[in-house]
Amino acid sequence: MPHVITQSCCSDASCVYACPVNCIHPTPDEPDFHTAQMLYVDPVECVDCGACVTACPVDAIKPHTKLTADEDVFATLNADFYATPRPRPILAPVVPPLEVRPGELRVAIVGSGPAAMYAAEEVLTIPGALVRIYERLTTPYGLARFGVAPDHQRTRGVTHQFDHVTANPRLQMRLGVEVGSEITHEDLLNEHHAVIYAVGASTDRRLDIDGIDLPGVSSATEFVAWYNGHPDHADRTFDLSSPRAVIVGNGNVALDVARLLTMDPDRLAGTDIAAHALEALRHSAIEEVVVVGRRGIEQSAFTVPELVGLCSTPGVDVVVRNEDLRALPDSDPRAAILRAAPRGAGNRRVVLEYLLSPTAILGDCAAEGVEFVHNELIAAPDGSTRVKSTGLQRVIEAGLVLTSIGYRGRPVPGLPFDDATATVPHQGGRVPGVRGAFVTGWIKRGPTGFIGTNKSCAQETVRSLVADYNAGLLA
């Protein structure tokens, strides 16, 4: 195979448009783009030109001859994606350039995370357009800076692409300004034709069980913000004095946290981890992290690339029960990855547990454990499965309990809000009923996708904005 996409893929599709033979899929116009765990190079169609390597903002693409031992699995993953032929045109879809009527389009963007930066990049493709970004914090780039694990250096490299965007003289960035309190939507419209809200999903879904407010219980996203030096969490402390931690939920964030809690702190010393977090981890007594999912192993929320990263962490054993492993078909790449995970004497452990739902956090003055109830999977007539409690209980002792069951958006002052989806209702990015208001990113579509997924999302929103501008609807 000439070229291979690896673990750090951000799915922004820059490589798709750079490829001269359309051998990277899924493309943004294909139905599985928003659910794919990464992008894949077709080993048969690739002509080894290397254009994708230059286009990738996170250095995720390599010639197959340069893969490390830990990355060899990605050669198989890329090839397996094309085991079933995909009908497709010879060339990738062409994105037509944005064209605007005469005038100087001025756009305000609220937030500075990936969704905001991709929206700014898209607006700035219009000659003469001006962008002003408003960010509450004094440091930009949102989850690209404060949400990516510090040892994922290549993924964090997407911020270099954002640096090129902010270097554009037609972009201004106002840091330390909170829209909604210090400045209003109407204030922004006095100086701009439109306002794009890219405020993300900044809170956690709450686990509503007894004991959730005990000391020693927090959310995994707060823990991530703490070790990444987020200013809102710099003064937090976490009790790492017990030998075991429990993480409720098994998405990518959960695996990131489990890896950081168990890996050798010396391997983090050269990364962007906050100094206070590194010092705390050096004195941590945690030897085992139990990551718990309410459904079966086949419904694991983490991606295959994230699992590869965990299983290749030196000094960390990844443990799964044999009965859970047997539930995975041999064709599932996770089965081979977990079976091949190395074991070492004296290693710390990450234990993946399944079919358990938390019912209470136990402890008098602080968390001492989690009470779970066992589940079973029941087949539905349509072929899907649902979870049913068996009534059997189990307690896992732990002094640190982190919940990782998803992000949730917050209401934006002056905009409608759908409490069920925790998003702002929209039509192609337009906010109905609010003059000049648009949304992009997680506040638009919910907390789904990867860093680069925000690029196609922003393109849709900006094209709606330009259409309204050209129609004279944005004063």
Side-chain angles (χ1 to χ4, degrees):
M1 177 184 292
H3 281 79
V4 178
I5 297 179
T6 66
Q7 178 180 335
S8 57
C9 177
C10 70
S11 298
D12 87 333
S14 295
C15 56
V16 168
Y17 300 108
C19 178
V21 295
N22 195 22
C23 75
I24 302 176
H25 294 266
T27 61
D29 64 333
E30 292 176 327
D32 52 345
F33 175 77
H34 292 288
T35 57
Q37 297 185 358
M38 54 184 284
L39 305 183
Y40 306 88
V41 175
D42 187 331
V44 175
E45 300 295 333
C46 179
V47 295
D48 201 18
C49 69
C52 56
V53 176
T54 304
C56 179
V58 295
D59 297 329
I61 308 178
K62 294 182 176 183
H64 77 284
T65 55
K66 294 187 177 180
L67 295 176
T68 66
D70 293 334
E71 293 171 333
D72 282 341
V73 65
F74 289 102
T76 302
L77 290 175
N78 278 245
D80 285 351
F81 185 75
Y82 297 94
T84 301
R86 296 176 65 89
R88 59 184 188 265
I90 295 176
L91 299 177
V94 176
V95 179
L98 293 170
E99 296 180 1
V100 300
R101 61 180 173 81
E104 188 180 70
L105 176 62
R106 297 188 299 276
V107 177
I109 300 177
V110 181
S112 68
M117 299 312 302
Y118 283 123
E121 183 179 46
E122 190 70 10
V123 174
L124 291 171
T125 64
I126 303 169
L130 302 176
V131 174
R132 185 175 291 157
I133 290 177
Y134 293 83
E135 167 57 54
R136 178 180 68 87
L137 301 178
T138 56
T139 304
Y141 305 157
L143 284 182
R145 186 181 297 274
F146 295 118
V148 177
D151 60 324
H152 284 175
Q153 292 288 75
R154 284 194 288 167
T155 304
R156 294 169 76 93
V158 74
T159 59
H160 301 315
Q161 179 184 4
F162 300 158
D163 287 338
H164 289 297
V165 177
T166 58
N168 191 310
R170 291 186 285 120
L171 183 146
Q172 296 179 2
M173 185 169 287
R174 301 285 180 85
L175 300 175
V177 179
E178 186 169 12
V179 174
S181 58
E182 302 173 44
I183 189 170
T184 67
H185 179 73
E186 291 302 321
D187 292 334
L188 293 177
L189 286 183
N190 287 334
E191 298 185 19
H192 307 88
H193 292 94
V195 183
I196 299 176
Y197 289 88
V199 295
S202 56
T203 60
D204 298 283
R205 290 179 58 196
R206 179 177 170 82
L207 186 62
D208 191 14
I209 58 175
D210 289 343
I212 196 66
D213 295 319
L214 281 171
V217 182
S218 186
S219 73
T221 50
E222 289 173 334
F223 190 77
V224 170
W226 169 76
Y227 65 57
N228 277 328
H230 193 294
D232 289 350
H233 300 274
D235 296 331
R236 288 288 304 270
T237 58
F238 292 87
D239 186 355
L240 308 180
S241 62
S242 297
R244 182 184 293 119
V246 166
I247 303 175
V248 178
N250 62 9
N252 284 353
V253 173
L255 262 59
D256 272 344
V257 171
R259 190 180 67 258
L260 266 289
L261 282 170
T262 51
M263 69 187 299
D264 183 350
D266 286 342
R267 303 186 68 87
L268 294 168
T271 70
D272 296 327
I273 190 171
H276 60 260
L278 181 59
E279 183 64 18
L281 290 171
R282 288 191 185 280
H283 295 89
S284 171
I286 292 175
E287 295 292 333
E288 180 178 277
V289 177
V290 182
V291 179
V292 183
R294 63 185 291 268
R295 298 178 65 84
I297 190 169
E298 291 184 88
Q299 292 82 34
S300 296
F302 56 76
T303 62
V304 171
E306 188 70 29
L307 179 62
V308 172
L310 175 63
C311 291
S312 61
T313 304
V316 178
D317 291 345
V318 180
V319 180
V320 184
R321 294 175 186 272
N322 287 332
E323 53 265 40
D324 289 322
L325 267 180
R326 285 194 292 269
L328 285 177
D330 291 338
S331 59
D332 191 315
R334 293 171 296 185
I337 294 167
L338 288 168
R339 291 186 185 117
R343 299 284 186 270
N347 283 353
R348 292 181 175 182
R349 292 161 36 106
V350 174
V351 181
L352 304 181
E353 291 278 3
Y354 293 94
L355 293 172
L356 293 173
S357 291
T359 54
I361 310 295
L362 306 179
D364 295 327
C365 300
E368 298 176 4
V370 186
E371 179 185 83
F372 293 93
V373 63
H374 284 272
N375 299 321
E376 60 181 349
L377 294 177
I378 304 297
D382 62 359
S384 63
T385 58
R386 62 182 180 86
V387 172
K388 179 182 178 181
S389 171
T390 66
L392 298 176
Q393 292 184 327
R394 178 182 173 189
V395 173
I396 301 178
E397 296 181 355
L400 175 66
V401 180
L402 301 173
T403 62
S404 186
I405 57 175
Y407 291 89
R408 180 178 171 83
R410 294 193 302 178
V412 179
L415 302 188
F417 189 73
D418 184 335
D419 193 64
T421 62
T423 59
V424 171
H426 70 94
Q427 298 169 353
R430 300 178 183 90
V431 180
V434 183
R435 183 172 66 94
F438 297 81
V439 287
T440 189
W442 282 1
I443 195 63
K444 171 187 173 184
R445 67 181 193 274
T448 60
F450 305 95
I451 288 177
T453 313
N454 292 292
K455 186 168 185 173
S456 56
C457 181
Q459 287 173 340
E460 178 191 53
T461 294
V462 173
R463 289 185 178 278
S464 295
L465 186 156
V466 168
D468 286 359
Y469 176 75
N470 289 337
L473 301 177
L474 303 179

